[in-house]
Amino acid sequence: MIELIAFDGDDTLWHSEQLFADTQASYHELIAPYLDGDLQPAAIDDLLLTIEHRNLPIFGYGAKGFTLSLIETAIEVTGGRIAGVEVQAIIDLGKALLDHPVDLLDGVVDVIDALAGDRRLIIVTKGDLFHQETKVARSGLAERFWRVEIVSEKDEGTFRRILADASVPADRFLMVGNSVRSDVLPVIALGGHAAHIPYHLTWALEHVEDADPERLGYTQLRSISELPDLVTDLDRAP
Ligand SMILES: [Mg+2]
């Protein structure tokens, strides 16, 4: 019997990565006039990723750190020539990202409603504390969840602490999310269950090479609508 089901937020309950990709596209247009066509967008994206990775231990995950990394990348690729007016425009892109309405994925409300009656549901998400709290509130789902955990990293220690707080053994826990690295591997390592629901975009820093459900011992679903059947199967398992 599964007693506790945890859901990732970004790209599992609501759209996120597409908004970051759209922001990045607007950013390319903003800085293009400085580049004389001698630097391809892919090279800028590579540098941005390097800078984001380097900044993660300082800024943590989320839209604010992303915005600062956009500015830092713009300064670097323009050799410091980026003007204040463009820096302001990048800050405005970041603000629009933070202020964007929450757009739930198809099927989320029905699945949460179907599962909420029988067991405890929680959200476990990384990102800016304030931004993620706002998204949970705007999602209209907050009351269906027993707890909302906004964490700085999803690793074995984080999930071990969540299970201890809930007094649930790992084999009665199911994590649902779009990232094999953050939502699946640490849970499997603890002896829990994990359902991977891929989103059409994956942030490069969440990518896992050769992730194989059968070999690693998790379930891959095409959409969240398949989740109730998986929970039924897990409940029946000895
Ligand atoms: Mg996610």
Side-chain angles (χ1 to χ4, degrees), residues 95-205:
K95 285 182 181 173
L97 188 56
L98 287 162
D99 202 36
H100 196 279
V102 171
D103 184 13
L104 296 176
L105 270 75
D106 288 344
V108 162
V109 174
D110 289 344
V111 167
I112 298 297
D113 278 344
L115 294 171
D118 301 333
R119 61 204 93 218
R120 288 177 287 174
L121 308 183
I122 61 175
I123 295 175
V124 182
T125 179
K126 296 185 293 192
D128 294 309
L129 176 64
F130 185 72
H131 188 209
Q132 296 298 48
E133 282 177 342
T134 304
K135 282 194 271 187
V136 171
R138 287 179 179 175
S139 74
L141 297 172
E143 284 175 6
R144 273 100 148 180
F145 288 92
W146 178 59
R147 279 183 188 166
V148 177
E149 299 272 359
I150 299 165
V151 298
S152 56
E153 189 60 89
K154 288 183 190 169
D155 52 20
E156 285 179 46
T158 297
F159 286 107
R160 197 178 291 116
R161 197 255 311 149
I162 287 170
L163 290 176
D165 286 352
S167 300
V168 169
D171 63 351
R172 296 187 169 211
F173 173 63
L174 170 64
M175 175 73 201
V176 182
N178 71 299
S179 169
V180 171
R181 183 177 83 85
S182 296
D183 301 317
V184 171
L185 298 181
V187 175
I188 296 301
L190 291 176
H193 303 277
H196 178 225
I197 310 176
Y199 189 71
H200 68 270
L201 287 175
T202 301
W203 186 34
L205 296 183

Side-chain angles (χ1 to χ4, degrees), residues 8-12 178-179 183:
D8 165 55
D10 292 344
D11 301 322
T12 298
N178 71 299
S179 169
D183 301 317

Side-chain angles (χ1 to χ4, degrees), residues 36-56:
D36 310 323
D38 52 356
L39 201 52
Q40 294 302 309
I44 298 171
D45 287 342
D46 286 347
L47 178 64
L48 171 63
L49 197 63
T50 302
I51 289 176
E52 283 186 274
H53 193 229
R54 194 170 69 207
N55 286 339
L56 268 184

Side-chain angles (χ1 to χ4, degrees), residues 2 5 7 12-13 105-112 114-115 119 174-177 194-199 213 218-236:
I2 297 296
I5 305 177
F7 292 83
T12 298
L13 296 178
L105 270 75
D106 288 344
V108 162
V109 174
D110 289 344
V111 167
I112 298 297
L115 294 171
R119 61 204 93 218
L174 170 64
M175 175 73 201
V176 182
H196 178 225
I197 310 176
Y199 189 71
Y218 64 91
T219 305
Q220 187 160 312
L221 304 178
R222 275 164 301 186
S223 88
I224 200 165
S225 303
E226 297 179 345
L227 188 63
D229 284 345
L230 172 65
V231 174
T232 303
D233 288 348
L234 291 173
D235 280 347
R236 285 200 192 119

